[in-house]
């Protein structure tokens, strides 16, 4: 919305321009007026729309045509004054003034005009008959008003209309020639309808209408008013009301009606509530609310965010099978102007047996977006109408910026829920398989699926009875680790292939030679926990060419011994290793020099043993029952 309004009065000499301004300001009719009133500024708090308003007079006797043209360029709206008793001053509107004001302007860029018939005190009848054809001819004429500077009739109204024409312009919303909403406006209102139709049945129920009314205008509709609204729509449209609710067509009709009755501020209030600017684009302020993420902090969705996203999932899971099919996903994103998810989503999160995205996978994907690109995430939430549905100021209410990692390290505990693990290893070690196995896919299952493989996978793991998100990222072999960010993560997973004697060399060199921050620093002393993983453990182990064996290497560097991993069996790959990675990410201090490697891994292995034991007991109880 504009921050101030500049109103210019134009028209033939002696029609009463100066008198109108003086009457407004002095609240009485001045018998004597100068040819031209000084420019006046009305402070925001005394104007009806609460914006500072400048009123500018024009006098042919005092000002050249060039000066007038300059004033036209500066003006936001022109009040074109005529004398209701002088037909000639009306004729000049068409022949002289409108061409002068908007003659050179492109369609859509025209300055709005308000026709003002002054001296109505001198004439009992109305000038409407001569004015209507002019209004029909020029679409930039917002409205007309008859007034009198002498008996102060309609003076404040006139300036109110002028203000409104600037703050709530009709042109972007409505095409007066075809008497219908413009395409862009239909698109915006359709998005608003989709968001407001919270149960996705294509109809705004009474509850949904009330919620909408309250969010946009601050108060619910009285029951009778609600019925009246539906009645008007029902009487005037064939399909505007269905099952006692408003359809999209009904909603569009209602807005057309507001505009046709000069109440377009109503439609503007709705549009602005949903983030639109004067040209019906979503504003940057709305889509990209400010969020400061200091170095060392990460971004996560909080319970507000998850609650909103879960509701959205349920809305689009039309057949209530707990999963989104490809079609569901397409419908899901209709309010976003482009498709944010590519095919790689299906290899980033776990899917169900139909290869649909389950609620779990869906929340994982959102968690990943929030972690990797919070601004994108806020943008999407904006498209989905988060502030409206959640009744919050902005999308930032859906995210948490975590405490700096260094502080966590100092306190030896963390509130974070999402951790990033970089998986590093030579070509062909089985990094991608390791990532896919995290989604529960064994090697044979991976081979049967054809989709594009993602560089990321994300899933939840249990660490000390808490559920945490772990992101795995497969680092390209050619990465040179030149920047700090190349190596930065919560845990590094260094993977070598037990069946390939050369492969440990690569991991060892990355561990020792990686350039982080400065050439002197390596993963070795970066403070990032490192875990070595011995992949393809189902194959015969070959002696590694590296001087030390992997176990010796780890012992020497006070690291936990390599963890064996294989996903070759037909069954679901074990998740234990991922929990261990998450554990190392959560408690980086345990991996450091202050604790010996053995005591750290003793805890982990003990934990795992307890789980196995419990599992066994449960199994026995189960057998007995049978
Ligand atoms: P220029 O500055 O020459 O362009 O004229 P203007 O449009 O500023 O007109 P101005 O305000 O000087 O008024 C012209 C004459 O019309 C004056 O004698 C006013 O007293 C008179 N007048 C202005 N408004 C009204 C009105 O509402 N009713 C009546 N009866 N007379 C009016
Ligand atoms: Mg004057």
């Amino acid at each position: 919305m504009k921050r101030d309004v500049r109103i210019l009065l134009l028209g033939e000499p002696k029609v009463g321009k100066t008198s109108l301004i003086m009457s407004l300001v002095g609240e009485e009719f001045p018998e004597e007026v100068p040819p031209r009133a000084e420019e006046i500024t009305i402070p925001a708090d005394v104007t009806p729309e609460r914006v500072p308003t400048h009123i500018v007079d024009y006098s042919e006797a005092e000002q050249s045509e060039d000066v007038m043209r300059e004033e036209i360029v500066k003006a936001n709206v022109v009040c074109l004054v005529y004398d209701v008793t002088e037909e000639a001053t009306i004729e000049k509107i068409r022949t002289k003034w409108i061409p002068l004001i908007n003659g050179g302007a492109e369609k859509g860029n025209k300055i709005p005009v308000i026709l003002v018939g002054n001296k109505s005190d001198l004439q009992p009848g109305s000038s409407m008959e001569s004015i209507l054809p002019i209004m029909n001819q020029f679409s930039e004429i917002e409205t007309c008003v008859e007034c009198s500077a002498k008996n102060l009739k309609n003076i404040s109204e006139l300036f109110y209309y002028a203000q409104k024409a600037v703050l709530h312009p009709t042109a972007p919303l409505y095409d007066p020639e075809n008497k219908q909403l413009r395409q862009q406006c239909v698109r915006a209102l359709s998005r608003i309808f989709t968001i407001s139709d919270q149960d996705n049945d294509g109809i705004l129920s009474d509850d949904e209408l009330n919620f909408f009314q309250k969010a946009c205008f601050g108060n619910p509709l009285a029951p009778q008013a609600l019925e009246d609204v539906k009645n008007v729509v029902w009487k005037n449209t064939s399909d505007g009301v269905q099952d006692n609710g408003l359809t999209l067509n009904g909603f569009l009709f209602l807005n057309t009606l507001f505009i046709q009755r000069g109440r377009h501020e109503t439609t503007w209030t709705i549009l602005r509530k949903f983030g639109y600017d004067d040209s019906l684009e979503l504003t940057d302020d709305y889509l990209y609310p400010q969020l400061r993420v200091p170095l060392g902090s990460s971004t996560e969705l909080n319970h507000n965010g998850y609650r909103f996203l879960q509701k959205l999932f349920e809305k689009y899971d039309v057949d209530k099978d707990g999963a989104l099919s490809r079609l569901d996903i397409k419908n899901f994103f209709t309010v976003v102007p482009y498709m944010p998810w590519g095919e790689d989503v299906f290899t980033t999160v776990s899917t169900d047996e139909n290869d649909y995205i389950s609620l779990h996978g869906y929340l994982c994907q959102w968690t990943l977006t929030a972690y990797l690109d919070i601004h994108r995430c806020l943008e999407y939430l904006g498209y989905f109408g988060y502030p409206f549905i959640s009744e919050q100021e902005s999308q930032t209410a859906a995210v948490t910026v975590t405490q700096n990692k260094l502080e966590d390290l100092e306190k030896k505990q963390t509130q974070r829920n999402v951790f990033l693990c970089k998986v590093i290893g030579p070509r062909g070690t089985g990094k991608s398989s390791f990532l896919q196995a995290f989604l529960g896919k064994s090697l044979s299952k991976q081979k049967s699926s054809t989709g594009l493989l993602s560089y990321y996978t994300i899933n939840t793991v249990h660490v000390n009875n808490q559920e945490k998100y772990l992101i795995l990222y497969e680092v390209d072999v050619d990465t040179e680790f030149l920047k700090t960010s190349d190596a930065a993560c919560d845990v590094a997973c260094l993977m070598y292939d037990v069946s390939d004697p050369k492969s440990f060399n690569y991991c060892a060199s990355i561990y020792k030679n990686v350039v982080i921050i400065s050439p002197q620093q390596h993963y070795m002393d970066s403070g990032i926990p490192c875990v070595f993983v011995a992949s393809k453990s189902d194959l015969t182990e070959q002696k590694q060419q590296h001087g030390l064996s992997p176990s010796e290497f780890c012992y020497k560097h006070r690291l936990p011994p390599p963890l064996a991993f294989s996903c070759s069996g037909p069954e679901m790959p074990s998740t234990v290793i991922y929990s261990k990675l998450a554990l190392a990410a959560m408690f980086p201090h345990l991996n450091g020099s202050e604790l010996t490697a053995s005591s750290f891994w003793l805890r982990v292995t003990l934990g795992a043993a307890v789980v196995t034991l419990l599992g066994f007991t449960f199994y026995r109880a189960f057998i007995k029952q049978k």
Side-chain angles (χ1 to χ4, degrees), residues 12-19 21 33-37 57-60:
E12 292 300 296
K14 301 291 159 238
V15 292
K17 300 180 291 299
T18 310
S19 302
I21 298 174
V33 290
R36 179 168 182 264
D57 194 7
Y58 163 73
S59 156
E60 197 180 289

Side-chain angles (χ1 to χ4, degrees), residues 40 405 451 462 469 504 548 583 618:
I40 59 160
K405 227 169 126 172
H462 286 271
Y469 286 95
F504 189 74
L548 296 172
L583 182 71
F618 276 134

